[in-house]
C-alpha cells in the first residue's frame, strides 16, 4: 500500500503543513474508519467525556460510539497516528516553524478554570476555523492528542491540570496480637497458621506496655550510667589537675634540692681549696726560710775562705796574730749545726672528702614530708544521731595524703550522782593564740582536779557589731589544744568546755580571734638570756648591760650563740606575712628557721635557716641574705625602716621587702619540708617591733 501524495480535501495548500502526511479516506472501510474530521463526531466525544466526569447522562441520550471509553478512543487515535511513544507525543510533529492553532473546544475538566489559552495565534488560524477543523491538523491536533493520551494514562501536564486519581486499595486488617516467639505483631487470624500455631502470643496492648516499661527501665539505667560517667569524668579532671600540681611541687622539690646540693658542694670545694692553699703557704714559707738560712751560711763560708787566703800572704807576725782570732771564729762557726734536711716535702697529703651532708640531701629528695594535721571543721547542726556522727576535716593543698586514721573513744553514759561532778571551766591561754586567714590554733589549761574526758570548742562569728552570730562546735577534743578552720577576715569569739561523766562544764572566759593576716606571739622559751620580750609578746629588746655574772644556764630550747628569739607561727601551709620595724643604725637579723635549728650557731650559718642580716659601721650599711653561710652579691641603696617578710609554702619561697617604698629586696627558694618559724636576732643593744595580724599589701601578692 503506497502513501497518497495529494492534499487533504477542503484544506488547501495553505492550511496543510509540510510536516504532516494524510492517508486517503477511501483506503479504509466505512465500518472501520474513525470519524476524525467531522465536527459532529468531535462534539459527541466531548459531551461523552463531560457526562462521564459529572456522572450525568449524555445530552439527548446519545449512545454508541460516543459512549465508548475515552481511553480506548485515544489509544486508537495514537495507534492510528503512530504516537505510541509518550516522549514523542507532539515532539516529532511540533517544530519551531509549525503554525499554531487556537484550541477552544477542550472539555472543561481539561482546562484551568474556564479561560482559554493563547497558543500563539497566527494568520493561518482563520483558515482552519473557516473549514471547521479547529484543533486538528498541524500543531493543535498533536497537542490535543498528546494531552488526551496523558489524561487517559494519569499523566496530564500542569498546563491542563488534569489528574486521574487511582482508586485506593483495600487496607489490610491491622495486627491485634503480638507473637512473643517471633517478636513481631500479627493478626489474630494468623494465630492458627502453621507459622505461629505453637508460638506464645499476647495482646498487642500488653506487649506495648511491656516494651514501654522495659524502655523506661533501660533509660533509667542509662541515665544512671551517664551520671556515673560524668562523676568519673569529673574525678578524672580532678586527678589530672592534681597530677599537674604534684608535678609542679616535685619539680620545685628537685630544683630546691639540686640547688642546695650545688651550694653544699660549692661550699665544700671552697673549704677544701682554702685549706689546701694554707698548707701550700706553710710549705713555701718553711722552704723559703730554710733557703735563706742556707744562703747566709754559704756566704759566711765564702767569707772565711777568702779571709784565710788573704792571711796566707801576710807576714809571719801578722799571720800569727790573725790566725789566733780566725781559729776562734772558725771553731764557733763549725760548731754551729747546719740543717741540710728539707723542712717541707713537696707532696700533699690526700684529702678525705666528707660527703655525708650531700648524701643526706640526696636521700631527702625521695622523702615525702609528713602532712600537716587535718583541721576538724566545726560540727554542723543535725550532724549527729543516736548511733552516728558526721565528722568533716580539711586538708591543705601542699600535703600528699594516702589515707586518714580516725580515732575516737566513747564517753561513759550515766547520770551525775553525788560522787560524779562536772569539771570546772578551762582557762584559754590568750597570749598563745595563733591564727591565719584560714584557721586558728587555740590552747588552754584544764584547771581541773576532776577528771576530764574531752573538750568542746564553741565558735561564735559576729556578723556585725553588736550582732550575735551562729555558734558552731568542735567536739570530742582529747587534748588541751585544737586547730579549727575559720573563714578569712572575720571576728570570732571562742569558748571552751570540759566534759566528763558528770556532764559539761560552764563556758570558759571568751577569747577573740581575728582572721586577718597571720598572727603569732614570740616564744619566750627560745629567747636568749640577753633579750627581753614585751608584755604583748610583739617586741624584743636587748639592753646595754648583758646581765649578772651568775646568770642561769640556758635551756636546750634557748639560743646561746646569737641573741635571738623565735616566733610561734601557726602550723598551717599557705602564705604568711608580717613586718618588722627596725632602726637603720641597728645590727639585726630577721628571717625564718626550722624548729630544730641549732641553738649554738648563728642564724643563716646552716641549712635550717634563711635570714636577712644588717650591719652598720663607719656610716656604711652592709646587707646579707644568708643561708648555709652563703649570700648573694646584692647592694641596697635605701636602708629600710620597716621590713616586710612573705613566707610562701605553696611556692617554697621566702621574700623580703622595703615596706615604705614598696621595694622587693630578695627572694629565697627554700626546701620547706617542715614548718618554719619567724626568728629575730639583735647583735647590739636595741629593739625590734613585730607587726602581724595585718593584711598583705597588694604589691607583695605578685611575688
Amino acid at each position: 500500500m503506497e502513501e497518497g501524495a495529494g492534499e487533504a480535501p477542503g484544506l488547501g495548500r495553505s492550511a496543510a503543513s509540510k510536516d504532516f502526511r494524510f492517508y486517503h479516506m477511501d483506503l479504509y472501510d466505512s465500518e472501520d474508519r474513525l470519524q476524525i474530521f467531522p465536527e459532529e463526531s468531535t462534539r459527541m466525544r466531548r459531551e461523552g467525556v463531560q457526562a462521564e466526569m459529572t456522572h450525568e447522562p449524555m445530552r439527548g441520550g446519545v449512545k454508541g460510539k460516543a459512549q465508548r471509553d475515552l481511553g480506548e478512543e485515544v489509544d486508537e487515535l495514537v495507534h492510528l497516528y503512530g504516537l505510541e511513544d509518550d516522549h514523542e507525543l507532539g515532539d516529532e510533529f511540533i517544530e519551531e516553524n509549525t503554525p499554531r492553532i487556537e484550541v477552544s473546544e477542550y472539555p472543561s475538566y481539561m482546562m484551568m478554570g474556564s479561560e482559554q489559552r493563547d497558543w500563539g495565534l497566527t494568520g493561518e488560524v482563520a483558515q482552519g476555523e473557516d473549514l471547521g477543523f479547529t484543533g486538528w491538523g498541524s500543531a493543535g491536533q498533536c497537542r490535543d492528542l498528546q494531552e488526551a493520551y496523558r489524561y487517559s494514562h494519569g499523566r496530564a501536564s500542569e498546563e491542563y491540570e488534569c489528574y486521574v486519581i487511582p482508586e485506593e486499595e483495600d487496607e489490610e486488617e491491622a495486627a491485634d496480637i503480638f507473637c512473643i516467639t517471633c517478636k513481631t505483631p500479627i493478626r489474630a487470624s494468623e494465630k492458627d497458621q502453621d507459622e505461629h500455631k505453637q508460638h506464645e502470643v499476647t495482646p498487642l496492648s500488653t506487649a506495648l506496655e511491656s516494651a514501654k516499661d522495659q524502655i523506661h527501665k533501660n533509660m533509667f539505667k542509662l541515665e544512671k550510667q551517664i551520671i556515673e560517667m560524668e562523676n568519673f569524668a569529673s574525678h578524672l579532671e580532678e586527678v589530672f589537675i592534681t597530677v599537674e600540681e604534684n608535678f609542679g611541687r616535685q619539680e620545685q622539690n628537685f630544683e630546691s634540692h639540686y640547688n642546695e646540693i650545688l651550694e653544699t658542694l660549692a661550699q665544700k670545694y671552697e673549704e677544701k681549696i682554702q685549706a689546701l692553699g694554707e698548707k701550700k703557704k706553710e710549705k713555701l714559707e718553711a722552704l723559703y726560710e730554710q733557703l735563706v738560712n742556707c744562703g747566709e751560711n754559704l756566704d759566711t763560708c765564702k767569707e772565711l775562705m777568702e779571709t784565710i787566703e788573704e792571711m796566707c800572704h801576710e807576714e809571719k807576725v801578722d799571720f800569727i796574730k790573725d790566725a789566733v782570732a780566725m781559729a776562734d771564729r772558725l771553731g764557733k762557726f763549725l760548731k754551729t749545726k747546719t740543717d741540710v734536711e728539707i723542712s717541707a716535702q713537696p707532696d700533699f697529703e690526700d684529702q678525705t672528702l666528707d660527703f655525708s651532708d650531700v648524701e643526706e640531701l640526696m636521700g631527702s629528695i625521695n622523702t615525702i614530708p609528713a602532712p600537716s594535721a587535718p583541721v576538724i571543721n566545726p560540727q554542723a547542726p543535725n550532724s549527729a544521731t543516736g548511733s552516728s556522727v558526721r565528722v568533716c576535716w580539711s586538708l591543705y593543698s601542699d600535703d600528699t595524703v594516702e589515707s586518714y586514721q580516725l580515732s575516737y573513744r566513747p564517753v561513759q553514759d550515766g547520770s551525775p550522782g553525788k560522787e560524779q561532778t562536772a569539771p570546772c571551766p578551762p582557762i584559754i591561754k590568750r597570749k598563745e593564740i595563733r591564727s591565719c586567714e584560714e584557721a586558728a590554733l587555740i590552747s588552754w589549761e584544764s584547771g581541773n582536779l576532776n577528771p576530764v574526758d574531752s573538750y568542746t570548742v564553741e565558735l561564735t562569728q559576729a556578723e556585725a557589731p553588736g550582732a550575735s552570730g551562729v555558734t558552731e562546735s568542735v567536739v570530742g577534743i582529747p587534748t588541751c589544744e585544737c586547730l579549727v578552720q575559720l573563714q578569712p577576715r572575720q571576728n570570732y569569739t571562742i569558748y571552751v568546755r570540759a566534759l566528763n561523766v558528770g556532764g559539761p562544764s560552764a563556758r570558759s572566759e571568751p577569747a577573740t580571734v581575728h582572721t586577718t593576716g597571720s598572727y603569732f606571739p614570740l616564744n619566750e622559751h627560745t629567747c636568749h638570756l640577753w633579750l627581753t620580750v614585751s608584755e604583748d609578746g610583739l617586741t624584743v629588746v636587748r639592753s646595754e648591760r648583758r646581765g649578772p655574772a651568775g646568770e642561769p644556764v640556758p635551756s636546750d630550747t634557748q639560743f646561746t650563740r646569737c641573741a635571738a628569739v623565735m616566733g610561734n607561727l601557726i602550723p598551717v601551709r599557705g602564705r604568711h606575712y608580717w613586718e618588722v620595724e627596725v632602726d637603720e643604725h641597728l645590727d639585726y637579723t630577721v628571717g625564718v628557721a626550722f624548729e630544730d635549728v641549732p641553738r649554738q650557731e648563728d642564724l643563716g650559718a646552716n641549712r635550717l635557716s634563711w635570714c636577712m642580716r644588717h650591719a652598720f659601721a663607719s656610716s656604711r650599711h652592709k646587707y646579707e641574705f644568708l643561708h648555709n653561710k652563703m649570700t648573694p652579691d646584692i647592694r641596697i641603696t635605701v636602708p629600710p625602716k620597716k621590713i616586710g617578710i612573705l613566707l610562701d609554702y605553696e611556692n617554697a619561697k621566702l621574700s623580703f621587702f622595703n615596706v615604705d617604698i614598696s621595694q622587693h629586696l630578695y627572694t629565697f627558694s627554700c626546701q620547706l619540708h617542715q614548718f618554719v618559724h619567724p626568728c629575730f636576732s639583735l647583735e647590739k643593744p636595741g629593739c625590734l617591733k613585730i607587726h602581724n595580724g595585718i593584711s598583705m599589701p597588694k604589691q607583695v601578692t605578685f611575688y
Side-chain angles (χ1 to χ4, degrees), residues 517-590:
S518 298
Y519 176 83
F520 61 88
L522 295 176
N523 187 355
E524 297 183 6
H525 299 291
T526 64
C527 186
H528 191 276
L529 296 175
W530 297 347
L531 300 180
T532 303
V533 177
S534 63
E535 184 68 20
D536 60 1
L538 298 176
T539 303
V540 56
V541 180
R542 179 172 177 172
S543 59
E544 293 286 347
R545 189 169 56 87
R546 294 189 175 182
E551 58 187 12
V553 178
S555 64
D556 295 337
T557 60
Q558 288 181 296
F559 286 94
T560 57
R561 181 178 177 85
C562 62
V565 64
M566 298 182 73
N568 263 345
L569 187 64
I570 185 172
V572 173
R573 295 188 179 272
R575 306 183 87 188
H576 302 275
Y577 177 79
W578 63 93
E579 296 175 355
V580 185
E581 187 176 338
V582 300
D583 187 343
E584 59 182 78
H585 298 145
L586 183 66
D587 293 352
Y588 59 85
T589 302
V590 294

Side-chain angles (χ1 to χ4, degrees), residues 152-192:
S152 63
H153 288 77
R155 298 193 299 274
S157 66
E158 295 180 358
E159 186 174 6
Y160 286 88
E161 292 188 355
C162 180
Y163 302 94
V164 176
I165 302 176
E167 296 182 0
E168 297 183 358
E169 298 181 358
D170 296 338
E171 296 183 358
E172 296 182 357
E173 183 181 354
D176 52 2
I177 61 175
F178 182 80
C179 179
I180 300 177
T181 305
C182 299
K183 299 185 182 303
T184 181
I186 61 175
R187 294 188 294 270
S189 59
E190 298 178 0
K191 174 63 179 67
D192 297 332

Side-chain angles (χ1 to χ4, degrees), residues 418-485:
K418 294 182 180 180
E419 298 180 358
Q420 295 177 337
T421 306
C424 300
I427 302 173
I428 298 178
K429 300 177 181 179
R430 293 181 178 84
K431 292 184 179 181
E432 298 183 10
I433 293 177
R434 295 174 271 171
S435 63
C436 62
E437 292 195 349
E438 296 85 13
L441 182 63
I442 313 298
S443 58
W444 57 86
E445 293 178 353
S446 175
N448 274 283
L449 298 176
N450 297 324
V452 176
D453 294 325
S454 64
Y455 297 92
T456 298
V457 174
E458 298 178 355
L459 311 172
T460 301
Q461 178 179 348
E463 300 178 355
S468 59
V470 178
T471 300
E472 298 179 347
S473 301
V474 181
V475 300
I477 303 171
T479 62
C480 292
E481 188 177 73
C482 180
L483 184 67
V484 293
Q485 187 177 18

